[in-house]
C-alpha cells in the first residue's frame, strides 16, 4: 500500500449506512476495512482507486470481539474509524426476551466502546484522525417500542462526550452522528406496518452528509434539515414528541 493512502475502518459495512460509507470512502481513495457478521458486502465502485477488504465478526459475542481486536490493531493505524454497526428490537419491552435486549446493548454500545478504547490505547489512529460514532435521532426524544435500542444509542452519545478529552490528547476528533429513519432493509424490518419508506433518507445521502461533518471535526452530525428540526423540537417539547412517537410507532407495532 502507498504510504500516502488513507485507511478507514467501518463496522457494519455490509449494508445500509455502513455500506454507503464504505463505498464513498473507497471511491475517495481510502483502503477500507469493513467489519461485519454478514458476508454479502458491497464492493467498491469501479471509479474509485481505493478498496474494501473484509473481516467477519459477530459483535454480539464478546469472545469473537476480543479475538478480532488484535487483527484490527494490526490493520491500522486508521485515519478514520466509523463505529456504525447496530441492531434493533421492536415491540413491547416486556415481551422481548432478555437475550435479545442484551444483544442490542452488546452490538450497539459495548462493541463500539471496546473497539474505540482499544484503538486509542494501542495507537490505532493516525495523528489528526477522526472517530465517528453512529447514534440515533432517537437520542433527542423517547422511542416507545424500541427502548433497548434507544438506550444503547443514548449511551454511545454519552460515551463520546466522556472520551473527547482523552481522544484529543491523542490528536483524534470524535463526531457523533444522529441519523433519522433511513431507506434500508434494517429500517424496513423494524418499522410498523404501513410506514412510508419514501419519507426516509437514502443511506448514500446520509453517508455523504455525516462523513463531511466528521472530516470537518464537528462534534455532532444530524443529517438533513427535517431531522435537525425534529431534534430541536424534541429538546424543547420532549413529552409531546414522545407521545407522537408512541402513536406513530409503538401503537402500530404488532402486539
Amino acid at each position: 500500500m502507498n504510504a500516502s493512502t488513507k485507511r478507514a475502518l467501518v463496522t457494519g459495512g455490509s449494508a445500509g449506512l455502513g455500506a454507503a460509507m464504505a463505498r464513498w470512502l473507497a471511491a475517495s481513495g481510502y483502503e477500507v476495512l469493513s467489519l461485519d457478521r454478514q458476508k454479502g458486502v458491497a464492493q467498491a465502485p469501479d471509479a474509485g482507486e481505493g478498496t474494501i477488504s473484509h473481516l467477519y465478526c459477530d459483535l454480539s459475542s464478546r469472545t469473537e470481539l476480543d479475538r478480532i481486536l488484535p487483527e484490527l490493531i494490526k490493520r491500522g493505524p486508521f485515519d478514520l474509524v466509523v463505529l456504525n454497526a447496530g441492531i434493533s428490537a421492536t415491540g413491547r419491552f416486556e415481551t422481548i426476551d432478555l437475550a435479545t435486549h442484551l444483544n442490542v446493548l452488546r452490538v450497539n454500545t459495548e462493541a463500539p466502546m471496546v473497539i474505540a478504547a482499544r484503538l486509542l490505547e494501542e495507537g490505532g489512529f493516525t495523528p489528526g484522525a477522526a472517530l465517528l460514532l453512529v447514534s440515533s435521532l432517537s437520542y433527542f426524544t423517547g422511542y416507545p417500542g424500541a427502548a433497548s435500542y434507544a438506550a444503547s444509542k443514548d449511551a454511545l452519545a454519552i460515551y463520546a462526550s466522556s472520551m473527547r478529552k482523552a481522544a484529543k490528547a491523542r490528536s483524534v476528533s470524535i463526531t457523533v452522528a444522529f441519523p433519522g429513519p433511513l431507506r434500508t432493509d434494517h429500517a424496513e424490518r423494524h418499522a410498523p406496518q404501513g410506514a412510508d419508506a419514501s419519507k426516509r433518507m437514502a443511506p448514500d445521502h446520509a453517508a455523504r452528509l455525516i462523513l463531511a461533518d466528521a472530516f470537518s471535526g464537528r462534534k455532532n452530525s444530524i443529517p438533513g434539515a427535517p431531522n435537525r428540526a425534529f431534534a430541536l423540537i424534541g429538546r424543547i417539547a420532549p413529552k409531546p414528541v414522545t407521545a407522537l412517537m408512541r402513536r406513530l410507532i409503538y401503537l402500530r407495532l404488532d402486539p
Side-chain angles (χ1 to χ4, degrees):
M1 184 179 70
N2 189 302
S4 63
T5 302
K6 292 188 175 182
R7 293 172 174 156
L9 167 65
V10 179
T11 66
S14 70
L17 182 62
M21 289 183 172
R23 288 193 300 268
W24 190 96
L25 291 165
S28 300
Y30 277 76
E31 300 289 341
V32 181
L33 176 62
S34 170
L35 179 67
D36 202 288
R37 66 177 180 176
Q38 303 293 337
K39 296 183 182 296
V41 186
Q43 299 299 312
D46 294 337
E49 296 182 358
T51 61
I52 302 177
S53 59
H54 316 289
L55 283 177
Y56 304 106
C57 178
D58 181 356
L59 294 178
S60 68
S61 166
R62 183 58 190 268
T63 300
E64 285 199 32
L65 175 58
D66 288 341
R67 174 186 59 80
I68 207 71
L69 281 170
E71 183 64 20
L72 291 183
I73 294 166
K74 179 181 175 182
R75 297 286 189 101
F78 299 101
D79 300 277
L80 173 68
V81 173
V82 182
L83 300 180
N84 157 82
I87 60 175
S88 188
T90 51
R92 298 180 182 276
F93 184 87
E94 64 276 12
T95 64
I96 300 172
D97 64 275
L98 178 59
T100 299
H101 286 304
L102 290 176
N103 282 342
V104 169
L105 293 172
R106 290 184 181 119
V107 173
N108 297 4
T109 308
E110 181 184 30
M113 289 171 65
V114 169
I115 293 171
R118 284 296 307 277
L119 289 177
L120 285 169
E121 290 169 358
E122 300 294 337
F125 293 89
T126 60
L131 169 60
L132 173 59
L133 301 170
V134 179
S135 180
S136 167
L137 193 63
S138 64
Y139 176 76
F140 301 100
T141 183
Y143 197 171
S148 55
Y149 172 84
S152 70
K153 292 297 188 176
D154 286 10
L156 197 58
I158 295 168
Y159 173 76
S161 296
S162 68
M163 287 293 290
R164 280 200 172 96
K165 186 174 181 180
K168 186 177 180 180
R170 294 167 172 79
S171 300
V172 177
S173 65
I174 298 181
T175 298
V176 183
F178 301 95
L182 298 174
R183 208 174 304 149
T184 64
D185 292 340
H186 181 270
E188 188 65 30
R189 285 196 301 272
H190 294 282
Q193 288 187 347
D196 187 356
S198 68
K199 295 181 179 179
R200 301 174 195 150
M201 181 178 286
D204 287 341
H205 183 44
R208 289 194 299 271
L209 295 175
I210 292 169
L211 287 172
D213 286 338
F215 289 137
S216 67
R218 293 181 181 273
K219 289 184 177 181
N220 299 316
S221 175
I222 305 175
N227 290 329
R228 290 192 292 273
F230 181 86
L232 177 61
I233 296 170
R235 290 190 191 102
I236 297 172
K239 288 185 178 180
V241 173
T242 299
L244 175 64
M245 293 281 284
R246 185 174 188 274
R247 291 197 299 273
L248 293 177
I249 298 176
Y250 182 72
L251 296 179
R252 295 168 62 186
L253 291 171
D254 292 333

